[in-house]
Amino acid sequence: MASPQSIHLLFVFTLIVFPLSHSLPFIVLHGIGDQCSNRGVKHFTELLSNYSGSPGYCIEIGGGSWDSWFMPLEGQSAEVCDKVKQMKELRKGYNIVGLSQGNLIGRGVVEFCDDGPPVRNFISLGGPHAGTASVPLCGSGIFCIIADRLLKSEIYSDYVQDHLAPSGYLKLPNDISHYLEKCRFLPKLNNEIPEERNSTYKERFTSLQNLVLVMFEQDNVLIPKETAWFGYYPDGAFKPVMSPQQTNLYTEDWIGLKTLDSAGRVHYVNVSGGHLGISREDMIKHIVPYLKKDRASSVKNKFGRSYTVGGVNGRGMQSNKIKAVPRLKDKESSKVILDGSSMYKLPSSIQSFTMELLGLEEDR
């Protein structure tokens, strides 16, 4: 029979080791024009790991920046689905942190990924969940020309749908019939087509424990900015902007947003800043609490334990070390961590490719 001392030691050992094996990891899905190896996303992932005490992985898709623009979103979601199913670290469940377009890919994983590990919490920063009424980047000469051409006739063509990722969620209120018929990704993701509504997508979406929707007050990339909360324009008009609760997606509960909201599991967050321009203070307040380990894991800290996680692997980039985070000074807490607007600035090679893709000639 085991002695009381050996039982006590076993109990202490269990308290120390067990939480480590049950810490819930998270993945980061970056936005368009970005990639996991970029300094901003890398630093963001590391900070989230350090503040939450949970291991984080940035999941790369294809060639990164290029494929974020030109791989259809169905393909991007399928690739992430395959990767999360292969990661043994995620088998008991994980959380998703989505950045801009990455949120739609993340939702594609939640709704479409068969036999994948369960997603517990979904934290969305600046996600175009209800679509966007403008092609990103209109503002510079070249891209306003591109956007104008797309908006007029090309965006719902098979060719553009096959070659330009944002075409999968461009929703023009004055062309809803073509959007529902030809847009390949968002109508399916949001269960918008009456004869094709899939109860499995709704069931999987409502399995989330928490859905955190962060909207940026000065966001001029998403049109309208309220799409980050599932708000959007009414069919046939560009005004007014409807709240999420006024949309048919919500009132008819196509994907289960109303069900989640009624259960108190949807958290609408409004922060100051431009697209993805989140500060440390807001990150700690609105994101970190949903990534922290469960209450049992706090026992580990009482014993002064810490641990190191691995570096880069073939599936994505992982934060290298979980370490104590010093208390922030006021200036540091308000400092912006990410600059989402910069993600939408294409290299000249991609600009040229896009112009050629759309049959346009750049002015010499």
Side-chain angles (χ1 to χ4, degrees), residues 68 72 81 102 113 118 150 163:
S68 73
C81 172
C113 188
L150 289 172
H163 291 87

Side-chain angles (χ1 to χ4, degrees), residues 112-131:
F112 305 153
C113 188
D114 296 327
D115 303 316
V119 179
R120 306 301 186 190
N121 297 323
F122 194 117
I123 301 96
S124 164
L125 281 71
H129 294 290

Side-chain angles (χ1 to χ4, degrees), residues 4 43 61 93 125 153 164 240 303 352 362:
H43 182 54
I61 300 170
L125 281 71
S153 61
L164 194 63
F303 286 92
S352 298
E362 185 176 353

Side-chain angles (χ1 to χ4, degrees), residues 76-89:
Q76 295 193 42
S77 296
E79 183 167 329
V80 175
C81 172
D82 289 341
K83 288 188 175 184
V84 297
K85 287 196 289 188
Q86 293 169 13
M87 294 176 67
K88 64 181 185 300
E89 300 91 341

Side-chain angles (χ1 to χ4, degrees), residues 181-239:
E181 180 184 358
K182 295 291 188 179
C183 189
R184 302 242 180 111
F185 190 75
L186 193 64
K188 177 181 177 181
L189 187 72
N190 282 346
N191 253 344
E192 294 183 79
I193 305 173
E195 60 272 18
E196 296 179 16
R197 287 197 183 124
N198 192 316
S199 60
T200 299
Y201 302 161
K202 180 177 179 178
E203 180 182 344
R204 290 172 176 174
F205 191 66
T206 54
S207 71
L208 293 172
Q209 293 177 359
N210 288 284
L211 174 64
V212 183
L213 300 172
V214 180
M215 177 178 72
F216 294 89
E217 187 61 36
Q218 288 78 41
D219 195 330
N220 58 8
V221 171
L222 300 183
I223 308 296
K225 65 184 180 185
E226 290 82 2
T227 185
W229 283 0
F230 283 91
Y232 210 66
Y233 303 113
D235 291 353
F238 283 86
K239 60 182 180 180

Side-chain angles (χ1 to χ4, degrees), residues 147-165:
D148 183 64
R149 178 67 174 268
L150 289 172
L151 289 171
K152 283 180 178 176
S153 61
E154 302 290 343
I155 197 69
Y156 298 131
S157 70
D158 291 340
Y159 190 73
V160 173
Q161 289 289 312
D162 282 339
H163 291 87
L164 194 63

